[in-house]
Amino acid sequence: MRGTLITAILLFIFAVVFWFAADAIPKSQLGGTVGADGLPKLLAIALGVLSAGLIVQSLLAMKAAGPAVPAEPKRRSGNIARHLWAAGMIAIGAVYLIVVPYLGYMLSVGLLLLTVALYNGKRPSFGLLLFAALGAGFFYLMFVRLLDVPLPAGFWPALVG
């Protein structure tokens, strides 16, 4: 629990630093209603809120657990499995970055949501497909329409004409 608390505090500090770095992005007369700093600031806020929630959760869990008892040494095989799982998540993210210019943002995000859910043990179902489709639509509307962030359309517009 202490490690989680330390990580959450470091993430919160990173969110604050990230906000100030985003705020230092020069403003352009060509920018729309949301400038180049809009998305980074939104990400900084999200990270700050989530890390603050994790700090509170960790403190409450530590208070409920009482005094610390020395834990058993962790087995190396469990650590290796967690590292392999994390490497798989990074690989999924890397594939997303590779395919998004070709498939377009909306389809790529839907596939990303579906793949991450399946990778984390969700069973294939209609509800999972609906989650991926609605999630892709939500992120498309939020970033492309609401925030006016130009994201790749992929090869679809060329097919439609």
Side-chain angles (χ1 to χ4, degrees), residues 60-134:
L60 291 174
M62 289 171 72
K63 183 178 179 183
V69 177
E72 290 183 29
K74 294 181 180 177
R75 296 184 304 162
R76 294 187 64 78
S77 63
N79 287 340
I80 291 171
R82 285 189 288 183
H83 290 303
L84 290 174
W85 175 83
M89 290 294 291
I90 291 171
I92 291 170
V95 169
Y96 165 77
L97 291 175
I98 292 169
V99 302
V100 72
Y102 305 104
L103 297 181
Y105 178 73
M106 193 165 175
L107 179 60
S108 297
V109 167
L111 290 173
L112 176 68
L113 292 171
L114 181 66
T115 304
V116 168
L118 291 171
Y119 184 74
N120 284 291
K122 285 288 192 185
R123 292 183 178 201
S125 67
F126 177 75
L128 188 58
L129 287 174
L130 187 62
F131 160 76
L134 291 176

